[in-house]
Amino acid sequence: MQPAGYRIETRLPDVASFNRLRESAGWWALDPIQVEAGLAHSLRAWCALKGEEIVGIVRLVGDGAMKIALEELIVHPDHRRQGIAHALMREAMAYIETPCPRAARST
């Protein structure tokens, strides 16, 4: 179930949206080249969108078999308390439950 007025898509965020969300959470923006390289090596990611604006992300890293770790879960403060983080985590956990044995999970 998607939060009302939002949609969840399996996709990587663009570099600008990623850094904008980091800054909205009180984290510093990273070098765009670093972000682009890091995102490219993601195992899987989901974005929450309001219209065409990315307002939340969850990203997994790992080898996809023995180790999968949640790297980021960020929801822009203006869009919190709408069920977005819950919806993003539901997608991530469904993915983790499929390919990764319980003993290999990491947080």
Side-chain angles (χ1 to χ4, degrees):
M1 186 167 119
Q2 299 199 17
Y6 298 89
R7 71 182 186 282
I8 306 296
E9 294 183 357
T10 303
R11 63 179 262 202
L12 289 169
D14 60 274
V15 171
S17 294
F18 181 82
N19 267 335
R20 182 181 52 78
L21 284 172
R22 284 183 56 88
E23 289 177 312
S24 78
W27 304 348
W28 62 89
L30 299 172
D31 179 89
I33 293 170
Q34 180 184 13
V35 172
E36 189 172 357
L39 290 176
H41 288 93
S42 300
L43 181 61
R44 184 68 60 106
W46 294 265
C47 293
L49 294 100
K50 175 88 171 177
E52 296 305 311
E53 179 187 7
I54 296 174
V55 299
I57 61 167
V58 65
R59 186 169 74 98
L60 302 176
V61 297
D63 60 24
M66 295 186 303
K67 213 45 138 168
I68 298 176
L70 181 113
E71 189 61 27
E72 287 101 11
L73 172 60
I74 310 169
V75 176
H76 191 283
D78 292 346
H79 299 274
R80 291 182 183 160
R81 310 216 35 93
Q82 304 296 318
I84 295 169
H86 183 78
L88 289 168
M89 280 303 299
R90 191 171 44 248
E91 295 289 335
M93 291 307 297
Y95 179 82
I96 290 169
E97 291 290 337
T98 302
C100 190
R102 183 169 298 282
R105 293 183 210 144
S106 165
T107 55

